[in-house]
Amino acid sequence: MKKISYILGVAAFAVAGLSSCTLDAVNYTEKDTSNFPLTAEDADQALAGIYQNLNVPNATPQASFYYVAQLAGDDALGGGGENDILMQAEDLMMISTLNMTEQFWIDRYQGINRANSLLDGINNIALSESEKNQIAGEAKFLRAFYFYELSSMYGNVPLVTSSSAAQPIQPTAAELWGQILQDLYEAASTMPATRRTDGHVDKYTASAMLARAWLYYTGMYGNGEELKDLVSTTYNPLQSVALPNGETLTKQQVITLVDEAVNNSGYSLVPDFRCLWAYTNRFTVEDFDYTKGQNLKWAEDDNAINPESMFAVKFNKQASWSTTIGYANGYALHFGVRGTAVFPFGAGWGAGPVAMNLVNDWKNYEPNDKRRDATIQDMSKLSGFSVGGGGDYMQESGFYGMKLSPVEAIKDDGTISVCFENLMYPGGWDVAGAENMQLNNIHDMVLIRFADLLLMQSELKENTEGINKVRARAGLNPISAYSLQALQNERRWELAMEGIRWNDIRRWHIAADALDKQQGIDIYNKGIATKNTAHGGGYRARYNATAGFQKIPENQVDLSEGGIVQNPGWEGADSQYTGW
Amino acid sequence: MNQTFRKTALMVGAFSLLGMCYSPKAYAADAVQNVQQATKKITGTVVDAQGPVIGASVMEKGTSNGTVTDFDGKFSLNVKPGATIVISFIGYKAQEIAVGNQSSFNITMQDDNAVLDEVVVVGYGVQKKKLVTGATIEVKGEDIANRNTISPLSALQNQSPGVNIVAASGKPGDGFKVNIRGAGTNGNTTPLYVVDGVVGDINSVNPADIERIDVLKDAASSAIYGARAANGVILITTKQGKAGKVTVNYDGNIGWSNLVKVPKQLNAKEYMDIMDMTRVNDGGSPHSWENFIDADLLEAYRNGSNPGTNWLELLRNKNAVTTSHSLNITGGSEYSKFSTGIGYQYQDGIIGGDLAKSDYSRFTLRLNSEHVIAKSSKGRDIITFGENVYYSHNQQQGIGIGNMYWNAIYTMLHNSPLIPVYNKDGELFDYDDLIAQGIHTDQYPNGMLSLNQYYGNAINTVTHSSLANNRSRYHNLNATGYITISPLNGLTYKGLVYYKNYSSVWKGYDMTYRNNDNDQNVNDMLSENMGTGWNWGMTHTLNYVFDIKSHHIDVLAGTEYSREGNGMGDNLGAQVSGNVFKDMFNYAYPANFSGRDGSATLPYNNNLPATDHSILSYFGRLNYDFAEKYMFSAILRADGSSNFAKGHRWGIFPSFSAGWVVSNEKFMESASSWLSFLKIRGSWGQNGNEGIGAFKYSATYSFGPYGNYSFNNAKDVGAQGAYPERLSNEDITWETSEQLDLGFDARFLGGKLALNFDYYVKKTKDLLLDVPVSAINGFAYVMDNAGTIKNSGIEVALNWNDNIGKDFTYNIGWNIATNKNEVTEVNNGSRYINGGENLLSQGTTYMARFEEGHPLGYFWGYKTEGVMQNEADVQAYLDKNCKGDANNSLQGTSIAPGDLKFVDTNGDGIITSDDKVELGDPHPDVTMGINLGLNYKGLDFSVSGYAALGQQVAHSYRRFGDSQYDNWSTNVYNYWHGEGTGNGRYPILKPGTSTNMIQVSDIYVDDADYFRLQTLTLGYDVTKLFKSFPLQQLRVYFQAQNLFTITKYDGMEPEQGNSIANESWVTGTDISNYPQPRTFLVGVNVKF
């Protein structure tokens, strides 16, 4: 009997055991499309996920459009150390590696996919009509913004507007930009007429972005879509654009929305231009010779709402090497002073030194412009910095951009804090803690300012209205009549070193001439005085070979199985930068 | 009979529930024969040279009547008149004795040198070795234990042809990279380790606890483990109890380890000369060193009275102690057997020393026992119960040796010799000291840092960061219980249930220090991760063995289920700053951090459950042989995995094998004088792999750290975001490894010479790859069944065992294996996958590829044809490769003598990345093992060696892409410095960002063939000196490990198993891996 009970035991055990033999695993950490997104809260979460893509390129800013726009443009050189051949390559419209900017391609399509996922599911979410318009408008805005950057960078990138898997096929520019403009137009015309100050974009931001996209597309492609049309020096902008929904978007519709945004949005200019920039923050302003004693107050001190900021990337203290460092402002780090910090400007990788041609042009055209000293730091005027001091710094010009730079502050005990944010937002720093020059730059990176909207209004309406408001803030006399030249100059000064100029010179068809001015200017390489010499045939040749479009990452071309054709100008030896 | 029947009924019931096929008819056909005829009782004693043989089988020939010998080797049996008895026991020659009129027998067993009746462990059972039709290797426990290694794998390395075992590094406690018959998968190539029937980890097992290791190489052998056997199976059997007197074994040793080979780095003077030359070659002028270095120190460097800092020397730990103690106690009776092992191992690192302690310790405890609950009257065990319990605790601390961003040895090797370690006050030289050096002018405001902003005291970096201040602790408990029920002869049910618990704690502590702006910690920080998980499973098998005349049939059916996670595991991590015990690693516990309520922050993903994962399997096996002459085996296994979507979960893995013992044929009898055994065998089969992690198939929304956004200027934390986690692919299913194996086993000259031969072709199909896809759908990768890898090769093992006279025995073993690895399909748009970016140096591009038509992870870059010596040479190069136009060269118009001749391999007249070719293969073409053993009376001597041939290593100990100021080894003198200088391979010395150096080319890829003398052992058994010694054995021994390595490779270590790339398939890169130590040890084996 004893044996039988053993056997019974085994049998019972076997039965009990098998009853728990399931192959269905439980996912304790994720949701799927059956239970997400269903509620307004879900929609907010999905929306945050789309916005977060604004942070993502901050992990590898050197691959991003904003960065390329800064370095490839005529106002800045490449810079960096001798190992930073990517920076120099971007300045020269060349490549340092075959997949130099692939991360950005991947990142932005991720943002687009997040927007598509929310837009696909938005009708399943319990939302009021205005909530839905706001949320859908934000998602469309961001999708359009991501495509705007991708298309400015690479030209005819595959257009994906649904979260179900698509094949990589290149559209025409008209198809691609039609979609971008349609998204922005729908966002601008359907979102509630309420200014948001919480970091969300609103109807007016969408109008401003619509204007930016309109001006770029209608200018850049005014002569046609071929390379010869794009690099032509004729400026002949389109007056209307066919949208994929069958409607036509006219310049007047854009103007109507822009006027409304200028007049009714509640956005306004910050009275003093310098108060837009972090070096006027309350922990630094009175220790910086240039700003002290003038009663300046940064528009974003202590999380104040900057009335001029229409669209900005927000950062926080959660940047972490183990997850994402994009929660910190990576551009500030990259555009910081190479080598050692020089108060009030923090240390960084020294990307994008200001090109002498900007300084000279500005002095010639607008000698009394206060914005120049507020935008460009002549390093020879700061103690503790030696221009041409050596190290491994390449394309050193002696001038740094001040708008993007990390900013230090002096603590009560007289020591220096690597980032003023440590003092303004004490405590709660994640991971590497405070006083980390790489992770503590968390002030906003403003992408659309009200001043830009004013200048676009002038450009669209070909009047002086917006220009003169901007000039007045800069302490300059109004101009009496609108001219394209005056508009171009005003945009150059007002928006210098903000990643705007690159697309401006391309759409105005003045890029090759403008870029060529960088050739032969004085620089230092590793402390040795020299000239900024031609590579790959020179700036003009490289622009005319590429129209300013980057090489599509080789991996992405290869992975498309023939769906994507490489941009012109990127196959030959003249596109390869292997070192100065 | 009644009772038996009821048992049967119960069994039928039980197994029907298990969903298994069971035929009561077959059972009835072989019902126990109750021998009721007239019989004769015989008794006897079975002994061998040492004494009684316990547990020997005594059978009446041609019947199932038999018994086993007891404690004293005695037996008694009733036999029919005229019977013949067969006495057999593993490891001895079987004897047949006609009973005749004799009723008492004294039988002396002879060792069976041919060991043909030896059994090997196969999946869920054992099989006679001579009947095995697959390709397996068995290694005895003593051959593993006597190597005195921490891990059994290093002992296995040269005894298992076809099993590629490469030490990850020489760092104490580091593991091994193992693959069987070539890397068959992009991901984890590690074979399945089965410890006492349960999937486990070999590295935590003390070699002294191992009874034997069986390696199942071909698909047919491992097919019974279908689910996870794609990489082959290694079965580890720990020591089990034996009936008889309690024996106690103690093995203890102590040894001293040292670093063998160090690159000769430049001293301060040489360094300055080379830096000057680099700068001059780059168009500058020599450095004015006085700007950066104080005059007296500079003078001392220049006149040689101060050679500068030899950084690695500071971390060198001379005569690092290693010690091991193992105690095994075995014993038991006919009814109850046990085996207990306790072990402790400690190994101190050869690099680290007092500054950066790097060591490993392990404690193991094993409790195995088996109890017979019911025995038949014939002595057969009807019900047995047993358990295996294994607990291990190990601790590893020490220097980081990963990629260039995390490698203490690298940090030492590339640091400038100009930087002193200590300042005048005897404190670590830091930022203040660096900027205090030299002449301070506006142009050089920062002293030494004016030369190079990355300069710093490497000892500061290492000792103040978690590069040295880290510790891992692991606890593993494996508990297995099993019951076997054998209701009648030949039929056995085995049920096994196991529970495993594993937990780990890792902590790393960064202290405050400042070398320069790029290398400093302003605040201290502790990072700590803890995890605990569990895994349970059960196996039921039913085995029936029977003979029909000369047909021997062995059938097995079984089911298995395992599950881990399921809400019973947790991972938790924390990071905190501000230790009250500032900069004291041993006091770095979160509770000691200031602002105890607020500053402790949990990073994202701080608490995750262990992944839920289960596998359910059904399997069956038929082994058949006819007169031990013709063998056939078939296996079918069906596995379901929770890692795949419904409808794609189940994989079916069949295998077939057959063998022919030619030497048992009549026509071979004439050859028996020289050919004692010859078996020809062949097999084909499939195995699977599902190890991709859970939910890879499904479209999910994650709430992790990559979706938050700081609305409302929330600077502390972003608003919770949600985002699609991956590109879903519901179609993914099992990866399948398919293998064909043809081989033979032969023994010659009365068994003195053994030869084993195998030829195999292994194809891993439907590789589960995180394959790059066009990123336009939001993700750059998708998990897919997207590739095929083919491995093929031959394996030969030769063993010679003989004696000269009575006292002198010797054996020589030699084995060789070849393998050709080729990726035959990459099923994505580009047909390749790039890997190894920023691997050789920061700034280098992808240098390894996973591409059709090439070995897995081959080195990809430019081929060079030497260095241009003069202008004519430059023109000749351009004419040949660049259509005569310097614009088409990689160097551009500045091309000049001293530049490398990058070859235009595609002949288009332009040097572009299209000219990049295969520069090398990290996998060896051939591996070889050599073993020699001599015994003379109590003296033993053995040597073991291992060779790996045909592989390449990509190699740089400098972060050349970052800065020209990294130190060089004396290899720098092989660089070109004028026509006819250098060794013709390396270009003009310029900053590492120059085209010649930043482009990955064959100048970084070296042959790394090597032969290593692994161990040399000399031992003597003191008991042989005395006639009556109280101990059975008292052997003292001396052993040298890694006595020498013969290689042309000029790095520290040609054996490169450390994967430092982001991609696990990128191997064979040496940026300064921790070398294998050379160890001398003395030890003692005691047995009583």
Side-chain angles (χ1 to χ4, degrees), chain A residues 120-163:
Chain A
D120 283 353
I122 199 157
N123 289 327
N124 302 330
I125 309 174
L127 295 171
S128 72
E129 191 63 19
S130 84
E131 281 174 337
K132 189 173 143 186
N133 285 341
Q134 174 69 27
I135 289 168
E138 290 181 61
K140 283 178 186 169
F141 171 92
L142 290 165
R143 177 167 74 182
F145 175 73
Y146 297 151
F147 269 122
Y148 170 88
E149 290 204 326
L150 276 177
S151 182
S152 299
M153 181 107 152
Y154 301 112
N156 299 353
V157 298
L159 178 62
V160 186
T161 53
S162 148
S163 62

Side-chain angles (χ1 to χ4, degrees), chain A residues 1 3-4 6-8 10-11 13-15 17-18 20-33 36-37 44-46 48-49 51-52 54-55 82-83 85 97-99 102 105-106 109-110 113-114 117 158 160 164-168 198-200 303-305 312-318 322-324 327 338-341 347 349 384 386 388-389 391-392 425 427 429-435 437 442 444 526 528 554-556 558-559 561 571 573 576 578-579, chain B residues 3 6-7 10-11 14 17-18 279 282 284 373-374 383 442-444 446 450-451 453-454 483 485 493 497 517-518 522-523 525 536 538 540 561 563 566-567 575 601 604 608-609 612 614-616 640-642 646 649-650 695 699-703 705-726 772-780 828-832 834 842 845-846 887-888 890 910-913 961-962 964 991 993 995 998-999:
Chain A
M1 274 319 284
K3 291 174 189 169
I4 293 168
Y6 276 115
I7 293 163
L8 274 172
V10 170
F13 168 77
V15 173
L18 275 180
S20 55
C21 291
T22 174
L23 287 178
D24 292 326
V26 183
N27 194 338
Y28 295 103
T29 57
E30 295 168 336
K31 293 183 181 178
D32 59 34
T33 45
F36 191 90
D44 283 343
Q45 292 178 347
Y51 275 93
Q52 191 265 351
L54 296 168
N55 291 111
E82 64 171 323
N83 56 340
I85 57 173
T97 59
L98 297 176
N99 297 296
E102 187 180 20
W105 175 285
I106 294 168
Y109 270 113
Q110 182 186 62
N113 174 257
R114 291 181 180 188
S117 297
V160 186
S164 47
Q167 292 301 310
D198 55 3
H200 286 268
N303 283 333
I305 303 300
V313 187
K314 300 283 181 184
F315 300 98
N316 60 47
K317 298 174 185 171
Q318 300 302 316
S322 58
T323 54
T324 176
Y327 287 126
R338 185 155 188 94
T340 314
W349 308 146
S386 164
D392 65 344
Y425 312 110
W429 292 92
D430 186 61
V431 186
E435 295 299 337
M437 59 164 298
I442 58 165
D444 287 3
K526 294 184 277 183
I528 301 166
E554 185 123 314
N555 281 341
Q556 296 299 324
D558 288 354
L559 288 167
E561 298 190 81
E571 301 287 6
Q576 296 182 28
T578 55
Chain B
Q3 192 176 339
R6 273 156 57 194
K7 270 192 252 174
L10 274 166
M11 297 299 285
L17 283 167
L18 296 175
R279 195 165 148 95
D282 196 30
I373 292 168
I383 302 176
D442 274 354
Q443 200 180 354
Y444 302 110
N446 296 320
S450 302
L451 176 68
Q453 56 164 312
Y454 294 102
I483 187 164
I485 302 169
Y493 159 80
V497 60
D517 283 348
N518 303 294
V522 178
N523 298 313
M525 182 179 72
W536 71 272
M538 59 179 178
H540 306 275
Y561 180 74
R563 185 156 194 188
N566 188 27
Q575 282 174 322
T601 55
Y604 291 109
L608 287 169
D612 195 359
S614 50
I615 296 182
L616 175 63
S641 165
S642 65
K646 275 185 178 146
R649 282 182 177 163
W650 286 88
F695 310 115
T700 58
Y701 277 90
S702 172
F703 300 83
Y706 304 104
N708 301 343
Y709 195 70
S710 293
F711 295 117
N712 290 311
N713 285 325
K715 292 280 196 288
D716 286 347
V717 63
Q720 178 64 57
Y723 48 93
E725 174 64 26
R726 61 183 77 89
V773 289
S774 174
I776 62 160
N777 296 309
F779 297 91
N828 71 343
S830 61
R831 312 280 151 190
Y832 65 78
N834 286 330
Q842 181 163 298
T845 182
Y846 297 109
N887 278 313
N888 292 334
L890 210 53
I910 307 175
I911 311 295
T912 65
S913 62
D962 247 4
Q964 67 207 61
T993 50
T995 306
I998 195 73
Q999 298 293 337

